[in-house]
Amino acid sequence: MSSYSDAINKYDPVLGLETHVELSTKSKMFCGCATDFGAEPNTQTCPTCLGLPGSLPVANKIGIESTIRIGLALNCTIATYSRFARKNYFYPDMPKDFQTSQYDEPLCSNGYLDVLVDTEEGSKNFRVEIERVHLEEDTGKLTHAGGATGRIHGANYSLVDYNRAGIALVEIVTKPVPDTGEYAPLVAKAYVTELRDLLRGLGVSDVRMEEGSLRCDVNLSLTPKGSKTWGTRTETKNVNSLRSVERAIKSEIERQAIELNNGNTIKQETRHFQEDTGTTRSGRSKEVAEEYRYFPEPDLVPIAPDSKWIEELRSQLPEQPSIGRARLAKEWGFTDLEMRDVATLGAVDLIAETISFGASPSAARKWWAGELARKASEDGVDLTVLKISAKDIARIDVLVTEGKLTDKLARQVIEAILIGEGNPDEVIAKRNLAVVSDDSALLPAIKEAIEANPEAAAKIKEGKVQVVGVIVGAVMKKTGGSADAAKVRELVLKTLGS
Amino acid sequence: MSRITREEVANLARLARLDLAEAELDEYAKQLEIILESVAKVGEVATADVKPMSHATGLVNIFREDKVETSLDREEILKSAPATEDFRFRVPRILDEE
Ligand SMILES: [Zn+2]
């Protein structure tokens, strides 16, 4: 019996997820600095986001509205009065020595998100309750020099870039999610996938986990079966892909079960997910509890959304992802099961984009949920991280439809694009991968194939046309799959006078 | 009755990254005691129906449009830092942090 099923037989996991979403506002939350990802270090800072004396923050209206829209989409209650608070701490990622956040008055609270998970008894709905959605600001980015992971050996300092400090950041916290049993890892993954699709649908964030605009912390505790008291929970950070969400929970369930089986207690601590091993490791244990000394931010006036404003924002909400998926499944001719697979892979938007560039729905699904999903799984990454675009796949589909590429050649083209050889047309030209349908190019291979298969050739001459496949197959093999099969068949029959 | 203990002062000093000597802890505990006593007088007047005030103006919903403004010149910013490298602020490493 695996350690996972053993753990699940003895304990009930209780999940909790904290998700941070960087909003895609053009300017920062409390100042006018730009928010471009990957800009030159410290080129997007000003007295306000650097916390220089005399500067005064003013809230970005789109940041507030985006947060309320997220709350509404998650079925939350919107506060009628909400204040920002200072979260005080000393760490060089915040030049102000505090982070502007929200404490006991979050903008949104008490919502839920329903997610579907495939179980042994078929597709099952799990309701993940939302505790709160609040607005804060992102921190700066530290690069550590020295130590085991640092860039410069022997050095013992950090370098700070404050471009990210002050960008609007929304934190979405779930209530503890009990009763998911063995499906805990899948429920968590489905929740983050659904949340990502919902946020993308709202247009409030570009939700790129690989760039850090969507980040996830996972809380987990185990309760012995039959017990009513929840166990001590750990918080795992650094869970930066959909796949990692599932793996981190699975490995943490296994680890905690082993500790408990051995009669040990679970330490309440922060752990870090390690992508390479798929396990979590203990973070620095803090000998003293964190004390942030929250107090209301005096420089920002309270937010008091009235019902008119809230209803206006509610009326602008897009359709829910689940309703959108049902509509798309119908439009694309996918079965429920096919659509669910695609959603689980996080491929809905990629397929929609590929279709918008001219591919057929079935081809778009075939490539993304087949070949590319396999590649992503091999590399241990999410589909969106692969170095191939929806446009590339659409172009490949057009070439296959036009008979300029076979499926086999298309796979080679994809392979080449993934390793950075260029777009489909460039790769085809460089690797000479186009389907050969030119008589003069095919005839020598056909002649050779006929000579190598005299019996088949004789039968075809007698009129047994069905045997032609043997010769066509030999030609295809000879040309490495690049020959136009229909054209080869035609030429073989013509050559043999049949 | 003392409103603040020596241990609390030591904890506050730790949070504020102040390195206080033993004698200073006693001294500041005494001073903070006086301050807290004075502030406590407000509590004598405030009744349950008076909400704690955090903002004096009574204003709500003051926002700015989501418009990009020119940031500071990088040279200018880094000039005021004690140490820089690669256009970044150079700070002492906090041990054992990721
Ligand atoms: Zn700024």
Side-chain angles (χ1 to χ4, degrees), chain A residues 145-271:
Chain A
T149 54
R151 289 185 313 135
I152 307 160
H153 276 281
N156 241 330
Y157 55 88
S158 302
L159 300 176
V160 202
D161 170 12
Y162 288 122
N163 280 350
R164 204 179 62 183
I167 293 184
L169 191 69
V170 168
E171 183 173 334
I172 302 164
V173 184
T174 70
K175 292 183 179 164
V177 189
D179 306 325
T180 55
E182 63 178 300
Y183 301 112
L186 293 178
V187 170
K189 186 188 175 194
Y191 166 79
V192 181
T193 311
E194 188 74 11
L195 186 61
R196 187 190 65 170
D197 289 352
L198 178 140
L199 294 165
R200 192 185 283 125
L202 287 169
V204 295
S205 168
D206 55 15
V207 287
R208 287 186 211 275
M209 290 188 96
E210 70 278 12
E211 284 181 5
S213 57
L214 181 71
R215 316 197 274 269
C216 204
D217 300 339
V218 178
N219 295 329
L220 188 99
S221 69
L222 293 185
T223 308
K225 279 216 186 293
S227 166
K228 290 264 180 285
T229 356
W230 289 347
T232 308
R233 68 184 172 88
T234 58
E235 180 180 6
T236 302
K237 293 190 179 289
N238 197 28
V239 190
N240 293 328
S241 70
L242 296 174
R243 188 168 168 268
S244 301
V245 173
E246 184 182 342
R247 291 169 80 210
I249 290 178
K250 190 158 180 271
S251 92
E252 190 56 14
I253 288 175
E254 290 173 354
R255 188 194 68 84
Q256 289 191 15
I258 291 168
E259 291 287 340
L260 293 171
N261 288 345
N262 291 341
N264 299 328
T265 52
I266 301 299
K267 203 162 67 167
Q268 181 165 357
E269 61 177 352
T270 300
R271 300 183 66 85

